[in-house]
Amino acid sequence: MSEARNPKSVRLAVAQTPVREDPRDVEALRESGRAVRALMREASAQGARIVHFPEGAICFPSKLVMSVDGPDMVGPADWDRCQWPVLQSELAAIAELARELRLWTVIPSVHRLSGPNRPHNSLYVISDRGEVVTRYDERLMSKTKVSYMYSPGVSPVTFEVDGVRFGCLLGMEIHYPELFAEYEKLDVDCVLFSTSGTPGNTAAQAQGHAAVNSYWVSLSGPTQQSATAPSGIVAPNGDWLARCPADDSPSVAVVNLDDSAEAATWALTYARPWRREARAGVYTGHQVIDPRSEDRTAAF
């Protein structure tokens, strides 16, 4: 089986950055912003059209730092402790640089809500015009996040760059294959998954999700976990196309997401279309009524 496809190609950079955990620390927030912008420039210099950052690229607020019962016990988060003006100014500077570089930028951050509502844990999608065109909010989060820290999101999010369609996931959602299957049904070409680190073999799971759904997966994580799970991009056949160094260094890996590449052609031309047809009921017309089929104790 095959399916006619329009050729698609876009150059994607995936980043790994240090994750800092105290949103009260003004200088740490500013240093994170500077590190993000330095990697944006590096990605642009390597010809990237879109760059993808890890959860906590600006700050991943610690549950103990934020806890009203802390610092030794986890309790409800006090979001008044966050230096919101500084966080917002760093994000605004990132958006402005995205405009200057003409570089789509996917950057995780806390998204403040109204009144007493807890914020979302989010991924901002900033266009090459420096505008927030959409935002993904983490849906399936840890017990601590949903109990004490964040309001969960409610829906998948997709967007397109140069005809290539992306989906977004965040946090610990690597552990939920139904979310990756949902994006296959939404016809994405690549899922961008950002994490600050989560238990389990994240790299192997990223490869599995890419292979069973026949699309690219970009895994962006912190430098602190690069020894075991460096950021990288997996092809639709499940092979790693490129990975950042496993040496704790802030860096980017840049590849072309190209339908015609060897690592993509078979998966996109045969595997993905056939799985869709199989799930649509192609077997029904081939099923038979036969007593030897119905009797599961029939011998040989």
Side-chain angles (χ1 to χ4, degrees):
M1 298 298 300
S2 65
E3 180 181 271
R5 299 182 61 88
N6 295 321
K8 300 176 183 178
S9 181
V10 72
R11 193 156 172 81
L12 168 67
V14 62
Q16 63 186 25
T17 65
V19 170
R20 298 174 173 88
E21 297 188 332
D22 191 346
R24 304 168 302 179
D25 188 334
V26 171
E27 182 50 37
L29 293 175
R30 297 208 183 281
E31 179 56 34
S32 290
R34 287 190 289 267
V36 165
R37 291 188 290 275
L39 291 178
M40 289 172 66
R41 293 185 180 93
E42 183 176 335
S44 178
Q46 294 189 45
R49 278 284 286 142
I50 177 171
V51 60
H52 169 215
F53 285 94
E55 180 185 34
I58 303 297
C59 184
F60 182 67
S62 164
K63 59 189 178 183
L64 294 175
V65 168
M66 303 304 290
S67 172
V68 296
D69 300 321
D72 300 317
M73 183 179 299
V74 178
D78 176 7
W79 285 102
D80 288 338
R81 298 178 182 182
C82 180
Q83 289 287 335
W84 291 107
V86 179
L87 178 61
Q88 291 161 350
S89 70
E90 292 304 315
L91 290 168
I94 288 167
E96 173 60 21
L97 183 60
R99 185 192 65 79
E100 292 177 13
L101 297 175
R102 305 294 291 178
L103 177 68
W104 284 74
T105 302
V106 181
I107 180 78
S109 186
V110 180
H111 180 71
R112 197 174 192 178
L113 299 184
S114 304
N117 294 318
R118 294 173 183 163
H120 291 312
N121 186 39
S122 301
L123 272 170
Y124 290 113
V125 178
I126 301 171
S127 76
D128 58 358
R129 295 174 178 266
E131 302 166 344
V132 175
V133 294
T134 192
R135 189 193 71 249
Y136 176 74
D137 307 319
E138 185 182 7
R139 292 175 283 168
L140 299 182
M141 52 185 63
S142 70
K143 186 173 182 179
T144 296
K145 278 181 174 179
V146 74
S147 298
Y148 299 116
M149 300 189 72
Y150 298 104
S151 298
V154 296
S155 64
V157 164
T158 65
F159 66 97
E160 290 191 9
V161 179
D162 298 345
V164 176
R165 193 171 195 185
F166 293 88
C168 301
L169 292 173
L170 183 59
M172 61 175 295
E173 292 180 330
I174 192 83
H175 301 306
Y176 296 94
E178 63 269 28
L179 299 184
F180 288 84
E182 177 182 44
Y183 277 123
E184 195 283 329
K185 292 178 181 178
L186 292 173
D187 205 29
V188 305
D189 301 294
C190 177
V191 168
L192 306 176
F193 171 67
S194 297
T195 185
S196 61
T198 185
N201 192 330
T202 307
Q205 290 182 82
Q207 288 183 277
H209 292 311
V212 301
N213 291 293
S214 296
Y215 54 43
W216 287 274
V217 171
S218 178
L219 167 65
S220 183
T223 57
Q224 290 94 325
Q225 296 198 359
S226 64
T228 55
S231 294
I233 299 167
V234 188
N237 67 356
D239 291 342
W240 288 103
L241 289 178
R243 305 185 81 175
C244 292
D247 60 4
D248 297 337
S249 62
S251 57
V252 292
V254 185
V255 299
N256 291 325
L257 307 188
D258 186 348
D259 274 9
S260 64
E262 182 179 353
T265 301
W266 187 89
L268 298 178
T269 305
Y270 299 102
R272 188 169 181 177
W274 172 246
R275 282 195 288 261
R276 287 182 170 182
E277 189 165 350
R279 289 169 178 144
V282 68
Y283 301 103
T284 303
H286 299 275
Q287 293 169 350
V288 299
I289 298 174
D290 186 310
R292 283 187 58 78
S293 172
E294 296 167 3
D295 182 1
R296 299 189 183 281
T297 65
F300 319 121

